[in-house]
Amino acid sequence: MQGRAALVTGGSSGIGLAIARALGEDGYALTLSARRPEKLEQAAAGLRADGIDVDAVPANMAEEQDVLDLVAAHRDRRGRLDVLVNSAGLGIGGPIAEHETRKLDMQIAVNLRDVYITTRECLALLKEAGAEHRKALIVNVSSISGKYGQSWLAAYSATKAGVVGLTQALHKEHSTDGIQATALCPGWVDTAMTEFIKEAVPAEEMIRPADIAGAVRYLLSTSPNCVVPEIQFIRPGETL
């Protein structure tokens, strides 16, 4: 896909980095973003070492101006956008009765509000790509908890359910513009974000970040006539 470009948020590690690597290996020029500049630059340097064209743009996705600056930086540098991956996310566990409002607000800001604003600001570029080849793609990283609410993760579950709803609405508004939108809904994935549960669910039994990246490759391999609204990922024997 030489000449095409992608923007990946939450791209310094885990699922976001795995997707970014897959896109870069397949020829997409990348804009990679995450909150921590040093960690982001380390990830970008690793991709560049493998010959991938990548720009690193730090952004706190809870801050609207950072989102606006990120999209502007991508537009100025790349001039086009064929794939948007909204992977930035935040999970804070705890029972509903004890969950502080600030923790709820943080998760709403990063997990849902950011996805909405980033997508909104990218739509003009995505429409241009869609008009060109009818296969502009928005990938929203949700969670299996966005499909089946989890105790102790009520706020997180609610925001991820919102991501699924937003993805469905995007399809209804923009599929005729050549833009496809898919929500990815994984269970436990072996990343830093799931360290807290690894005594109960060993890392070797978890879904791999590369599994999620492979799903993005699949989405890009289908014809413009095939839309995949969402993909759920669960482990063997796991009940929903």
Side-chain angles (χ1 to χ4, degrees), residues 127-148:
K127 283 183 178 180
E128 291 178 6
E132 176 186 328
H133 53 70
R134 296 180 58 223
K135 191 66 179 180
L137 178 65
I138 300 170
V139 174
N140 292 329
V141 180
S142 179
S143 166
I144 202 68
S145 66
K147 299 298 295 181
Y148 311 93

Side-chain angles (χ1 to χ4, degrees), residues 12 29 39 57 60 85 100 121-122 125 138 167 231:
S12 63
K39 187 176 180 181
V57 182
N60 179 352
V85 179
E100 301 170 36
E121 296 303 309
C122 289
L125 286 172
I138 300 170
T167 307
I231 303 176

Side-chain angles (χ1 to χ4, degrees), residues 18-39:
I19 294 174
R21 176 171 293 280
L23 291 170
E25 289 173 350
D26 291 346
Y28 286 81
L30 299 176
T31 298
L32 197 68
S33 184
R35 182 171 60 89
R36 298 175 184 172
E38 292 183 2
K39 187 176 180 181

Side-chain angles (χ1 to χ4, degrees), residues 93-101 150-155:
I96 296 171
E98 300 174 10
H99 215 60
E100 301 170 36
T101 303
Q150 303 295 312
S151 61
W152 201 74
L153 289 171

Side-chain angles (χ1 to χ4, degrees), residues 33-37 40 57-63 66-67 69-70:
S33 184
R35 182 171 60 89
R36 298 175 184 172
L40 175 64
V57 182
N60 179 352
M61 304 308 286
E63 299 294 333
D66 278 18
V67 176
D69 292 344
L70 167 62

Side-chain angles (χ1 to χ4, degrees), residues 37-132:
E38 292 183 2
K39 187 176 180 181
L40 175 64
E41 185 52 44
Q42 183 179 18
L47 295 174
R48 293 188 194 108
D50 292 330
I52 294 172
D53 180 7
V54 56
D55 292 325
V57 182
N60 179 352
M61 304 308 286
E63 299 294 333
E64 181 173 4
Q65 191 58 54
D66 278 18
V67 176
L68 301 181
D69 292 344
L70 167 62
V71 176
H74 175 87
R75 181 176 57 246
D76 292 346
R77 174 71 173 86
R78 303 298 183 183
R80 66 178 296 138
L81 181 61
D82 302 272
V83 179
L84 169 63
V85 179
N86 288 306
S87 183
L90 171 68
I92 306 174
I96 296 171
E98 300 174 10
H99 215 60
E100 301 170 36
T101 303
R102 67 178 182 85
K103 294 179 180 178
L104 170 65
D105 290 345
M106 288 170 62
Q107 291 173 94
I108 292 172
V110 176
N111 296 348
L112 181 56
R113 182 174 177 269
D114 147 54
V115 177
Y116 190 106
I117 294 173
T118 305
T119 301
R120 181 191 70 196
E121 296 303 309
C122 289
L123 278 173
L125 286 172
L126 290 164
K127 283 183 178 180
E128 291 178 6
E132 176 186 328

